[in-house]
Amino acid sequence: MPFNTLTVACSTAPTIISTFFSYFCSCTPTPEDNGDTFELSYEEGVALIRRFLTHASHHTVEELQAFTAMYVPAPAWVRTENVVVPEEYLQKSAEAVVNQLGEGLSKVGGDKWWRWRERELHGEWVWMRERWWGTGEEKNEEERKKTNTMLYIHGGAYFFGSVDEHRYQLQRHARKLGARVFAPRYRLAPQFPFPCAIYDVLACYLYLLSLQPASTIIIAGDSAGAGMALSILCILRDQGLPLPAGAVLISPWVDLCHSFPSVMDDNSRDYIPAHGFLHRPSEAWPPSKPRSTPIKGFITTTTTVQGDAEENIPLQNLSPCERVEIDGVVVEIQDQIQLYTTNDMLTHPLVSPVNQPTLGGLCPMLVLTGGGEVLRDEQIYIAHKAAFPSLFAKPGDTTNHPNGTKVWLQVFSNACHVLPTLAWTKPAKMVGETISTFAKQVWTAPNTLENFRYEYVSISTGPEMRPPLSPADFLPYERIGVITAEPVKRWIEAKRHWDVKYAGKKVVRRDEEEEEE
């Protein structure tokens, strides 16, 4: 079946109808709802996205990428302009990425391949027409330096999504902020894995610095885009490059290892698949395996028990990111779990910013979290780690940490991942107001920002101030940012189902054909 608007509509229509009836049959809030009842359009939106992702999982990665990259025209009151980022900023970005990777450069395969691209790096300006700065050449240049800009990095788990798909959100930000928005068209995994996307987006930021001062720029992003934004802030800090005025992180995905408890919570209030992302096999995904690799993609080694002592298993030569103990069985993971990068890179601080040695010394940050989303815990954790770098440092770490980052954390009760996606709903409009307030503060009165502000927002009663948490409120340090058993167990079970379902759809790649010959 093709992947287009018609087939998606046919797939999601029953979900929309059933959600409509179930909403009116069970609209009374439960105690777990804290008195909050979301509007019908919100419930329809969450159910629609959940069903869309399920539908997309039975298609290839390339089909999903093509569908979410379809051209979306801008309305008459919005102006867009496509620009090419000059090569000099790509060179500067590459130098910063290489320096930041350090010894990790060898793990990603060197410093050459990720610089190759099929086409030039593009970005798109989005602004409301009445905010344009005029037509005169001299006036244009002067006004450009004074115009506030949001650099927005779209999400999509690093492997789908586009500027076109996010254009409605971009124009809303431009209107609410009275600013311009610049959106990079960065390369997507798995065709262009880590560090391609970071390299592209950092080049776009350096390009903006050539047009205007850093104090007029805010970096923003959602989901994977927000996680990437945090990694870029760490690169800027560590490489001595100008930090922006502020950062807006909307439901940031900062732990690709899925080590926090909320990942295993009931995801009925969210639309992210409980087992992660799986897709029909294609040329792009999954990666081809060596001949010696088992077809099922993982090896199990059962522990043996002698009396009361369990025999140690010689796994010293295996990467910690490639094995995990599940129900007394050590599982060596052969298949790549995340599309963004290989398993042995999942703990790298630029891939999972939760593993950064410190998140202090960054620009002011607004962290927006859905109380019902599966990535909730990691987002609350990085907000505290940024605000209190010494308190959340590795046990035994005696180094001098930078000053705490100013953080405004808002958690929206029972809300889903990336609320602004449901732009027409009340919770999304509340998020928009918060972003607007934060942007105005960092652009006009940054000294008025609080060092740390933690709000729990009820849809019915509004924000409630909460005290900061302590490290004891989270997992032990050694269990954070590492691959854990339960998420892998879910992934393996789902992958077994996918392998059986699409066993006859195996893609024979050219390199495999040549090997057979």
Side-chain angles (χ1 to χ4, degrees), residues 137-153:
E137 194 70 28
E138 295 181 2
K139 182 180 178 182
N140 185 14
E141 185 61 29
E142 286 302 313
E143 291 296 324
R144 185 191 300 271
K145 294 179 180 178
K146 300 176 183 177
T147 304
N148 295 327
T149 296
M150 172 184 277
L151 172 64
Y152 194 94
I153 311 168

Side-chain angles (χ1 to χ4, degrees), residues 171-187:
Q171 67 193 46
R172 282 181 65 87
H173 289 310
R175 180 173 60 83
K176 295 288 291 185
L177 272 58
R180 299 179 301 157
V181 175
F182 186 84
R185 293 185 179 274
Y186 63 88
R187 292 169 295 170

Side-chain angles (χ1 to χ4, degrees), residues 87-413:
E87 180 65 27
E88 63 179 295
Y89 303 107
L90 288 165
Q91 293 291 342
K92 292 179 180 179
S93 175
E95 292 173 8
V97 171
V98 167
N99 292 336
Q100 189 74 11
L101 283 171
E103 296 179 357
L105 190 62
S106 60
K107 282 190 174 183
V108 300
D111 64 348
K112 302 296 183 185
W113 67 266
W114 43 269
R115 303 191 198 193
W116 179 85
R117 57 193 332 109
E118 291 179 300
R119 57 184 67 88
E120 297 169 309
L121 174 58
H122 289 254
E124 184 175 290
W125 286 108
V126 180
W127 70 94
M128 309 306 289
R129 286 187 180 274
E130 64 269 24
R131 294 289 181 178
W132 189 234
W133 48 72
T135 57
E137 194 70 28
E138 295 181 2
K139 182 180 178 182
N140 185 14
E141 185 61 29
E142 286 302 313
E143 291 296 324
R144 185 191 300 271
K145 294 179 180 178
K146 300 176 183 177
T147 304
N148 295 327
T149 296
M150 172 184 277
L151 172 64
Y152 194 94
I153 311 168
H154 73 78
Y158 294 106
F159 74 94
F160 70 95
S162 69
V163 173
D164 292 274
E165 180 197 40
H166 279 67
R167 182 168 286 122
Y168 184 70
Q169 293 183 50
L170 301 179
Q171 67 193 46
R172 282 181 65 87
H173 289 310
R175 180 173 60 83
K176 295 288 291 185
L177 272 58
R180 299 179 301 157
V181 175
F182 186 84
R185 293 185 179 274
Y186 63 88
R187 292 169 295 170
L188 300 175
Q191 297 92 330
F192 296 96
F194 173 81
C196 293
I198 284 182
Y199 164 56
D200 289 355
V201 176
L202 179 57
C204 291
Y205 176 74
L206 297 176
Y207 165 67
L208 290 184
L209 288 181
S210 70
L211 304 178
Q212 57 195 95
S215 60
T216 63
I217 301 172
I218 283 178
I219 289 183
D222 63 84
S223 192
M228 196 192 316
L230 184 55
S231 293
I232 288 173
L233 291 179
C234 292
I235 294 176
L236 297 174
R237 177 198 61 194
D238 295 344
Q239 301 305 317
L241 296 168
L243 285 164
V248 177
L249 309 181
I250 306 170
S251 296
W253 186 21
V254 292
D255 178 21
L256 273 69
C257 296
H258 293 316
S259 61
F260 285 84
S262 61
V263 172
M264 295 306 299
D265 285 352
D266 171 29
N267 72 332
S268 61
R269 301 188 182 280
D270 202 6
Y271 50 76
I272 296 178
H275 52 67
F277 293 99
L278 293 168
H279 285 275
R280 184 173 180 158
S282 66
E283 282 279 353
W285 184 262
S288 57
K289 303 183 192 127
R291 292 284 181 176
S292 59
T293 302
I295 297 298
K296 63 183 180 182
F298 46 88
I299 301 174
T300 59
T301 306
T302 307
T303 57
T304 58
V305 178
Q306 298 177 347
D308 294 330
E310 188 176 279
E311 183 179 330
N312 292 327
I313 301 175
L315 292 170
Q316 291 85 351
N317 295 327
L318 296 177
S319 165
C321 290
E322 297 173 334
R323 61 183 173 86
V324 65
E325 184 176 338
I326 302 176
D327 300 331
V329 177
V330 175
V331 178
E332 180 190 346
I333 306 168
Q334 298 285 343
D335 272 340
Q336 185 172 318
I337 298 175
Q338 305 288 4
L339 285 82
Y340 185 43
T341 191
T342 53
N343 296 342
D344 62 335
M345 287 296 293
L346 291 179
T347 58
H348 193 282
L350 291 182
V351 175
S352 294
V354 72
N355 287 327
Q356 284 286 342
T358 180
L359 292 174
L362 303 176
C363 63
M365 296 195 309
L366 171 62
V367 181
L368 298 163
T369 299
E373 65 171 298
V374 297
L375 305 182
R376 177 190 65 246
D377 289 353
E378 64 196 67
Q379 297 162 15
I380 296 175
Y381 177 80
I382 61 107
H384 285 79
K385 184 173 182 176
F388 309 103
S390 298
L391 184 62
F392 282 80
K394 182 179 180 179
D397 183 2
T398 58
T399 58
N400 291 325
H401 287 269
N403 294 330
T405 299
K406 292 184 176 182
V407 176
W408 182 2
L409 169 64
Q410 275 197 343
V411 180
F412 287 79
S413 175

